[in-house]
Amino acid sequence: MRENIIGIADTASEGIISHHRINNIPLARPGEILEQVPGLIVSQHSGDGKANQYYLRGFNLDHGTDFAVWLDSMPLNMPTHAHGQGYIDANWLMPELIDNLAFKKGAYHAEQGDFSAAGSTHLHYAKTLSQTIAKLTIGNYGFKRLFNASSQNMADGELLYAIEAQTYDGAWNNSQHLKKFNGLLRYSTGDEAHGWNITAMGYDSNWDATDQIPKRAVNAGLIKRFGAIDTTDGGETSRYSLSADWHDGEWQANAYAIHYKLDLFSNFTYFLDDPINGDQFQQADKRNVFGGAVNRSINANIAGIETSHQLGVQGRYDDISNVGLYRTAARQRLSTTREDAVKQASVGLWWQGNWQLTPSLRASTGIREDIYRFDIDSNISENSGKANSNILSPKLGLAWQSSKQHEFYINWGRGFHSNDGRGSTIRINPISGDAAAKVNPLVKAVSKEVGWRANPMGNWQTTLALFQLDIDSELLFIGDAGATEASRPSRRVGAEWTNYIAINSWSYIDADFAVTRARFKDADTAGDDIPGAIAKTASIGIALNHPSGWSASTRLRYFGPRALIEDNSVKSNSSLLTNAHIGYQINPKLNVGLDIFNIFNRKVSDIDYLYTSRLQGEAANGVEDIHTHPAEPRMARLTMTFNY
């Protein structure tokens, strides 16, 4: 459930979600945990081994740009990634282990750096379990999952392990043959004041994919709704990490090392560029990531004002041995479009201060300096080189607690997102051979917000936030083309209303609503709508955990229509999905649960895009069409949980 953070929070758009609430959610995919962030939509346009697509605050975030995610001290976002800047693969998360989820939106928090302009989330895994968990889940379309986790005392600490294995074919005519293996081993010792832990994790997955398909192919009967144009798309990925966290009173420190690999095969335009072999391409990413942070908390009385301060330094180094783009047919390489080795380093220095100006008024101030260095070794010699960049991000906020039940906020902050490092040294477009302009790798974002947080009736917690977010330019490296594309400056203005109502000790209702207007700021005859920008979302849920042993929950998610072109002449349809869960605790050791997804079997889309593609037999210049990836049909999954 949400914690009441009146008197603690710096903004109206932050909160904490506990394990109890996460445990009540029927999850079709692990990444849907992130939909507990109010206003966030998690979708998919390919196989379940690929990173999800994210939408928040008027952004189509692609696979993670402008939304930062951490698990404990480790970042999930991957910069200078083969497929998309800030790529967040959340498929290796194990929901049973998540102790809580803390979210913040807007650029108001100095400890949040790259990718956090729209929002950020910190997921925290448990250090110990009250009992061993053994789960078996079976469901439609070949879904099978085994999960086992336990902890035990060892020396002066606690040893926790978890293992997971999953297979899933999906509803697709071209079975995705997903195979996933996941494991964790953690040793921790100490308490909240003093302690440390070390964690090893490993994940491996491979799959066949059904990517987005053109509507005209379905309408003409060339393929079915769950069909594919290129049946050889898919991929494989792995992630292995070792991390450590340490805290001792005022001091905290962490370090991590990650080995990551991805090979992704996609075909979005079919036969537009190559009418003989097709347009499939491979995106390859292989890297080692090293990083860490140190911060200190200080309390002080300054001129009679009680203050608290945090000072920190964060560092990250991505040693990318290969980030490549290749033309392929049936996953066999035909040619190399671009192949690079990248060394990317960043350091962030930050300070956050909180000032109790009066008993009811407090201020938050912060400043952050980020320094980046890029070293690109490209197979196209003109695109090799080195670049440096830095950005300063100040923050300011006021919070007025008018009573024990009401608090008001006003915030301003500057943040940023990084662009693909290859754009900082590019000179030649790798596809056309034309000259290409280098771009600033760090793009400024400015957030403004006013908000209200209230606990008006004891069991009802509510927040209202009105925000504005400006980005200088949505400059991105286009992984599918191997080149940079300069977008226009943009502004997003919106409102979010979040509610949590505890009906009694064993049931609650939550409801979140968001409306955003996203527009380009400059004048252009093409129009000022931002293609794919999310405008309206809603999420309503109810959960019951009755003392008799029965549990039930249901969640409705509304994903509003989006402009697919700048003049708004083509729009996507909205979607409304409902998932449900019912369970029974047979005895203290055995629980049975049934999850039903898309319970009304609605034929809606997970994503929609508008672009030009070519099917065999069509004109050489292709056809502009809506390309869609359907939401999966109604399906059920039965879970047996043994606790001992």
Side-chain angles (χ1 to χ4, degrees):
M1 59 190 67
R2 295 182 203 271
E3 294 187 7
N4 184 0
I5 52 177
I6 290 177
I8 301 172
D10 293 326
T11 72
S13 53
E14 61 186 274
I16 300 171
I17 310 295
S18 72
H19 171 79
H20 168 73
R21 181 170 173 187
I22 294 170
N23 198 45
N24 285 325
I25 308 165
L27 295 171
R29 308 176 182 110
E32 291 173 7
I33 294 167
L34 297 172
E35 286 194 345
Q36 288 303 292
V37 177
L40 179 67
I41 296 290
V42 177
S43 67
Q44 180 59 273
H45 72 98
S46 188
D48 280 357
K50 184 179 177 181
N52 296 107
Q53 189 109 355
Y54 307 96
Y55 298 82
L56 178 70
R57 285 201 162 183
F59 284 90
N60 175 353
L61 295 162
D62 193 34
H63 299 288
T65 307
D66 292 302
F67 181 62
V69 181
W70 287 265
L71 175 62
D72 294 322
S73 61
M74 280 195 302
L76 271 63
N77 299 75
M78 291 289 179
T80 309
H81 189 272
H83 183 70
Q85 179 68 346
Y87 188 88
I88 302 170
D89 183 356
N91 291 301
W92 52 273
L93 293 175
M94 291 184 272
E96 293 87 353
L97 299 184
I98 295 177
D99 185 61
N100 65 75
L101 176 159
F103 66 87
K104 297 178 178 179
K105 287 182 274 186
Y108 314 120
H109 310 276
E111 75 276 13
Q112 316 294 342
D114 198 2
F115 304 120
S116 63
S120 62
T121 295
H122 283 261
L123 300 162
H124 301 281
Y125 269 177
K127 296 180 176 63
T128 181
L129 300 174
S130 59
Q131 51 189 343
T132 297
I133 304 171
K135 275 188 174 183
L136 169 63
T137 303
I138 58 174
N140 298 112
Y141 309 112
F143 186 93
K144 300 180 184 69
R145 180 179 184 253
L146 289 169
F147 176 80
N148 180 230
S150 184
S151 63
Q152 60 184 28
N153 294 325
M154 178 175 287
D156 294 327
E158 196 81 17
L159 182 68
L160 169 69
Y161 79 83
I163 54 175
E164 176 190 30
Q166 179 186 317
T167 63
Y168 182 44
D169 294 332
W172 318 107
N173 300 145
N174 178 44
S175 172
Q176 71 172 346
H177 300 117
L178 173 73
K179 294 180 177 63
K180 179 171 78 171
F181 302 94
N182 209 358
L184 172 144
L185 189 66
R186 164 174 282 183
Y187 181 77
S188 57
T189 186
D191 53 29
E192 291 186 3
H194 311 277
W196 58 271
N197 70 75
I198 186 167
T199 305
M201 290 187 282
Y203 164 72
D204 190 90
S205 179
N206 60 81
W207 67 96
D208 297 327
T210 295
D211 283 317
Q212 62 255 26
I213 55 176
K215 282 193 172 183
R216 65 185 185 278
V218 178
N219 294 338
L222 299 177
I223 59 173
K224 295 181 179 179
R225 184 166 176 265
F226 294 103
I229 300 297
D230 191 333
T231 59
T232 66
D233 288 351
E236 57 182 337
T237 189
S238 60
R239 184 189 188 280
Y240 299 92
S241 67
L242 183 67
S243 61
D245 289 86
W246 170 85
H247 60 279
D248 186 15
E250 299 171 343
W251 289 92
Q252 290 183 326
N254 64 70
Y256 57 85
I258 304 168
H259 176 70
Y260 171 81
K261 186 178 180 181
L262 172 72
D263 286 295
L264 185 64
F265 298 87
S266 308
N267 187 346
F268 301 138
T269 55
Y270 320 122
F271 294 92
L272 180 64
D273 298 323
D274 187 337
I276 305 300
N277 298 300
D279 298 350
Q280 190 185 75
F281 55 90
Q282 177 191 4
Q283 293 164 312
D285 194 302
K286 185 178 181 181
R287 71 178 70 200
N288 294 314
V289 184
F290 306 94
V294 178
N295 67 275
R296 186 184 181 190
S297 300
I298 302 171
N299 295 322
N301 186 296
I302 300 176
I305 298 174
E306 293 299 324
T307 69
S308 61
H309 306 266
Q310 285 187 305
L311 300 96
V313 57
Q314 301 163 340
R316 174 170 175 167
Y317 178 70
D318 286 69
D319 184 1
I320 309 171
S321 58
N322 178 43
V323 54
L325 178 65
Y326 311 91
R327 290 185 59 249
T328 59
R331 303 196 191 186
Q332 300 301 308
R333 288 187 186 176
L334 303 176
S335 62
T336 298
T337 302
R338 182 168 185 177
E339 193 173 60
D340 299 85
V342 179
K343 299 183 186 301
Q344 178 170 327
S346 64
V347 175
L349 306 169
W350 61 275
W351 162 75
Q352 184 85 30
N354 289 280
W355 312 74
Q356 193 69 49
L357 303 177
T358 72
S360 61
L361 182 65
R362 63 185 188 278
S364 59
T365 55
I367 194 163
R368 181 183 179 95
E369 174 75 6
D370 286 274
I371 304 166
Y372 279 68
R373 179 173 175 80
F374 307 92
D375 187 345
I376 315 298
D377 183 10
S378 179
N379 68 320
I380 303 171
S381 59
E382 293 89 344
N383 289 336
S384 298
K386 298 180 180 180
N388 300 292
S389 189
N390 67 286
I391 192 167
L392 187 68
S393 305
K395 327 280 184 178
L396 179 63
L398 289 172
W400 174 50
Q401 187 175 348
S402 61
S403 69
K404 291 183 179 180
Q405 290 78 34
H406 297 272
E407 191 161 70
F408 298 88
Y409 309 89
I410 183 168
N411 299 90
W412 179 92
R414 183 188 297 164
F416 73 100
H417 74 237
S418 66
N419 283 308
D420 192 298
R422 291 169 287 181
S424 66
T425 60
I426 193 170
R427 294 179 177 85
I428 301 295
N429 184 305
I431 292 180
S432 67
D434 297 334
K438 293 186 287 185
V439 300
N440 185 347
L442 304 181
V443 178
K444 183 178 67 176
V446 176
S447 293
K448 303 173 185 177
E449 183 173 304
V450 294
W452 165 64
R453 183 186 303 274
N455 190 11
M457 297 189 305
N459 62 340
W460 176 27
Q461 299 174 35
T462 185
T463 65
L464 178 65
L466 308 176
F467 66 88
Q468 177 179 297
L469 176 56
D470 293 344
I471 291 187
D472 280 358
S473 176
E474 299 184 29
L475 292 169
L476 295 172
F477 190 94
I478 308 303
D480 303 346
T484 53
E485 180 178 286
S487 186
R488 298 150 57 188
S490 62
R491 169 168 291 175
R492 291 161 171 87
V493 179
E496 296 174 332
W497 183 33
T498 303
N499 300 273
Y500 175 86
I501 302 172
I503 301 171
N504 50 41
S505 62
W506 48 268
S507 62
Y508 65 84
I509 297 173
D510 65 90
D512 307 319
F513 308 92
V515 179
T516 308
R517 184 181 187 273
R519 297 291 187 271
F520 290 115
K521 292 170 63 176
D522 61 349
D524 193 305
T525 56
D528 63 358
D529 281 80
I530 302 174
I534 188 170
K536 298 176 183 177
T537 70
S539 176
I540 302 172
I542 183 169
L544 306 92
N545 290 277
H546 196 270
S548 65
W550 286 99
S551 62
S553 66
T554 185
R555 177 159 295 277
L556 178 150
R557 189 200 75 174
Y558 173 75
F559 185 14
R562 287 87 61 204
L564 298 182
I565 191 169
E566 287 86 347
D567 64 6
N568 200 27
S569 60
V570 183
K571 299 180 70 171
S572 70
N573 293 322
S574 62
S575 69
L576 186 66
L577 294 174
T578 306
N579 301 331
H581 164 83
I582 186 168
Y584 183 66
Q585 190 75 41
I586 297 173
N587 58 50
K589 294 185 177 181
L590 178 61
N591 181 281
V592 179
L594 178 67
D595 293 328
I596 304 177
F597 303 96
N598 192 5
I599 193 169
F600 299 111
N601 201 29
R602 293 180 60 86
K603 294 177 173 60
V604 296
S605 297
D606 257 348
I607 61 92
D608 291 296
Y609 300 109
L610 178 70
Y611 61 85
T612 299
S613 63
R614 179 180 179 270
L615 303 173
Q616 284 183 320
E618 292 183 334
N621 59 352
V623 177
E624 187 178 64
D625 195 7
I626 293 178
H627 296 72
T628 186
H629 193 261
E632 294 186 79
R634 180 171 51 232
M635 54 188 180
R637 295 176 187 171
L638 180 68
T639 299
M640 304 281 289
T641 304
F642 303 90
N643 300 115
Y644 54 93

